[in-house]
Amino acid sequence: MGEQIKLARKRRKLTAVQVAERADISRSTLNLIEKGEPSVAMGAYFNVLRVLGLQDDFLKLAADDTLGRKLQDLEIL
């Protein structure tokens, strides 16, 4: 995911400093995000996606929980 975020930033011709400032995070945090570091807070990832206009992609995470629905259906029967 980090590499995809980095490519999205570059496609928009935004510098890392611009994105970090607009997302209200440090440049080093953006660097960790672009490396896909899992220890970075989800909110920071969301702010970067928002700056890049990709916030709707964030909402797709776990949107269709097929396994969860099947498990729920088994309990109903």
Side-chain angles (χ1 to χ4, degrees):
M1 186 163 92
E3 184 65 25
Q4 292 171 326
I5 290 172
K6 184 175 184 177
L7 289 173
R9 175 179 63 78
K10 289 184 173 193
R11 286 186 197 110
R12 287 158 179 74
K13 300 188 186 312
L14 293 170
T15 67
V17 171
Q18 289 172 315
V19 172
E21 286 176 356
R22 293 175 188 178
D24 197 27
I25 60 173
S26 69
R27 172 64 186 90
S28 59
T29 299
L30 179 62
N31 186 44
L32 292 172
I33 288 171
E34 290 185 348
K35 289 181 177 179
E37 180 61 45
S39 66
V40 177
M42 231 174 177
Y45 272 90
F46 179 78
N47 285 340
V48 170
L49 291 173
R50 180 185 46 77
V51 168
L52 299 173
L54 298 171
Q55 65 274 10
D56 289 344
D57 290 352
F58 189 83
L59 299 175
K60 293 178 185 174
L61 293 173
D64 189 19
D65 183 10
T66 307
L67 175 60
R69 288 177 194 223
K70 286 180 181 177
L71 292 170
Q72 182 181 23
D73 290 345
L74 287 173
E75 286 184 14
I76 293 173
L77 299 174

